[in-house]
């Protein structure tokens, strides 16, 4: 059949019929599946040549009663979500004895960032934590980004907190 044409359309049995399912061929021999509600609003689209979406409810994997936009339910001690590039893997894990986990399944550091920046906090495969460095050499390594900068400050828990301990880097690598 010609491109961009409906191949199969199913309508509801109302006095004024409305399409509820459409399977179409689109340019380049690609498929488009649309599922519509009773008012004819497209709520689900699967498109082999572009964007696909689900609107109007929650999605469940491993459950028939998802409570959130995306609910992944697994058995005890199992991975739920895995993101991979084919080599590196990050995942979520649930374990009854230890709770929820987030980490790398591959032998790679776990980096945290904000505002689409470079890594700001790194949990290395050695267990070392780096703030301002992706290669921490000790259990906790804090690297300042400029001279004359406060590197670590500990404050008390008073209504008006005051510094109890402050470590600063000053020009010439002095503390």
């Amino acid at each position: 059949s010609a491109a961009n044409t409906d191949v199969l359309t199913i309508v509801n049995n109302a006095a004024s019929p409305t399409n509820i399912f459409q399977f179409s061929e689109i340019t380049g021999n690609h498929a488009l599946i649309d599922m519509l509600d009773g008012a004819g609003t497209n709520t689900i689209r699967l498109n082999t040549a572009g964007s696909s979406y689900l609107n109007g409810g929650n999605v469940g994997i491993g459950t028939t009663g998802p409570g959130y936009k995306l609910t992944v339910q697994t058995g005890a001690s199992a991975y739920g979500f895995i993101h991979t590039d084919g080599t590196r893997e990050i995942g979520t894990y649930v374990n009854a004895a230890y709770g929820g986990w987030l980490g790398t399944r591959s032998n790679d550091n776990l980096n945290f960032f904000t505002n689409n920046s470079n890594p700001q906090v790194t949990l290395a495969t050695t267990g070392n934590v780096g703030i301002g460095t992706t290669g921490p050499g000790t259990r906790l390594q804090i690297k300042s980004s400029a001279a004359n900068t406060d590197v670590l400050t500990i404050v008390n828990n008073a209504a008006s907190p005051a510094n109890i301990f402050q470590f600063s880097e000053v020009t010439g690598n002095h503390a």
Side-chain angles (χ1 to χ4, degrees):
S1 72
N4 296 324
T5 59
D6 291 342
V7 177
L8 173 67
T9 300
I10 299 174
V11 298
N12 64 5
N13 194 16
S16 300
T18 305
N19 294 350
I20 57 172
F21 179 84
Q22 289 178 293
F23 182 82
S24 305
E25 177 186 357
I26 56 178
T27 304
N29 293 322
H30 293 281
L32 178 68
I33 299 172
D34 287 322
M35 291 179 231
L36 303 93
D37 64 15
T41 303
N42 195 348
T43 56
I44 298 174
R45 170 169 279 184
L46 302 174
N47 184 348
T48 62
S51 297
S52 297
Y53 57 82
L54 296 108
N55 291 321
N58 298 335
V59 175
I61 299 173
T63 179
T64 57
Y68 304 95
K69 289 293 183 186
L70 176 60
T71 301
V72 179
Q73 183 172 332
T74 65
S77 300
Y79 284 94
F81 175 77
I82 302 295
H83 182 138
T84 183
D85 66 357
T87 303
R88 288 160 208 83
E89 293 183 347
I90 185 172
T92 60
Y93 184 83
V94 176
N95 177 286
Y98 300 108
W101 300 47
L102 169 70
T104 59
R105 288 178 26 102
S106 53
N107 190 25
D108 293 288
N109 292 346
L110 179 62
N111 298 296
F112 297 91
F113 64 94
T114 60
N115 199 25
N116 201 27
S117 67
N118 291 322
Q120 296 166 323
V121 177
T122 297
L123 174 59
T125 58
T126 59
N128 294 346
V129 175
I131 300 173
T133 178
T134 57
T138 59
R139 295 306 282 168
L140 175 62
Q141 182 177 349
I142 302 171
K143 181 179 178 185
S144 65
S145 59
N148 301 319
T149 304
D150 293 340
V151 177
L152 175 66
T153 303
I154 299 174
V155 298
N156 65 7
N157 194 17
S160 298
N163 293 349
I164 295 174
F165 176 81
Q166 188 167 11
F167 182 80
S168 302
E169 179 184 347
V170 293
T171 305
N173 294 325
H174 300 284

